[in-house]
Amino acid sequence: MPTWLEAGLWGLLGGGALVLGALVAWFARVPSGVIASVMAFGSGVLISAVAFDLMAEAADTGGLLATAVGFLGGAVAYLGANALLARRGGRHRKRSGDQQPSESDQSGSGAAIAVGALLDGIPESVVLGLGLLSGGGVSLSVLAAVFISNVPEGLSSAAGMKKNGRSATYVFGVWTTIAVVSALAALVGYAALGGAPPELIAVITAVAAGAILTMIADTMIPEAFETTRTWTGLITTVGFLLAFAIDRAG
């Protein structure tokens, strides 16, 4: 199998976890405490991947200064895009309650929520594609982090969409589109940077890591804390430990 196609399939697998979470939310009544707990767990898994896979690899390859610049750049870029979407109704796109606005509450909020969900997923998918450039195959810990965190993201966001009157066509249209775009992002991340110097790949990896960490702090942990409260830290820590163990075992 061509490596570029493999990159796309790994991206599709990661994005497909969002669809899986949305399916669960649409056809089953999942208690808010369960959604929040899984969200906290997924946050810990992603934080571990950012620290031990993405940032460590970027710093080893591109140096600390370039990595730091890329990391902060990714955080600022995500923050700016997220702030713009928040004004248009996409602020609470990962919330499972009634925080998401309906189209009647705020015109254009449906598009903002969809674009915001896409914004959250692209950095993770690009990282999966970049991971194949070293020739060693996709990182199991990064793949596990993306998949484990995407299930509760899709579950929580789809539950909020359903609660606020979004149709099945809208909900599954959003998540299916994001799964396909995730595959394309991973494929393009691999194909476009196949001949790039390692230092450039390191910076781009750091940019993605900064965006992912900002996304966790801005959207995932607040959703988890709203319900799990004092348990949030412990559940997040367990997720972090699991991803760390997977990384060490690999």
Side-chain angles (χ1 to χ4, degrees), residues 19 114 167-179:
V19 180
S167 67
T169 301
Y170 171 85
V171 172
F172 292 107
V174 166
W175 297 119
T176 301
T177 299
I178 291 173

Side-chain angles (χ1 to χ4, degrees), residues 47-146:
I47 291 171
S48 180
V50 167
F52 295 108
D53 283 282
L54 307 184
M55 288 297 286
E57 181 180 342
D60 289 344
T61 305
L64 180 58
L65 179 59
T67 299
V69 171
F71 188 66
L72 292 174
V76 171
Y78 180 91
L79 180 66
N82 198 43
L84 180 62
L85 290 169
R87 297 194 191 100
R88 300 181 179 275
R91 176 66 179 171
H92 299 299
R93 58 186 176 274
K94 281 191 172 64
R95 299 300 182 95
S96 58
D98 56 3
Q99 298 93 336
Q100 290 186 26
S102 65
E103 199 64 26
S104 59
D105 293 330
Q106 185 170 356
S107 178
S109 59
I113 291 170
V115 173
L118 186 61
L119 173 69
D120 298 337
I122 286 180
E124 300 169 353
S125 302
V126 170
V127 163
L128 290 175
L130 292 178
L132 292 171
L133 290 175
S134 62
V138 70
S139 167
L140 178 60
S141 55
V142 173
L143 178 62
V146 170

Side-chain angles (χ1 to χ4, degrees), residues 2 15 32 47 61 65 72 81 97 102 120 136 147 149 166 202 207 226 234:
S32 59
I47 291 171
T61 305
L65 179 59
L72 292 174
S102 65
D120 298 337
F147 191 89
S149 63
R166 304 289 179 184
V207 169
E226 186 169 301
L234 177 60

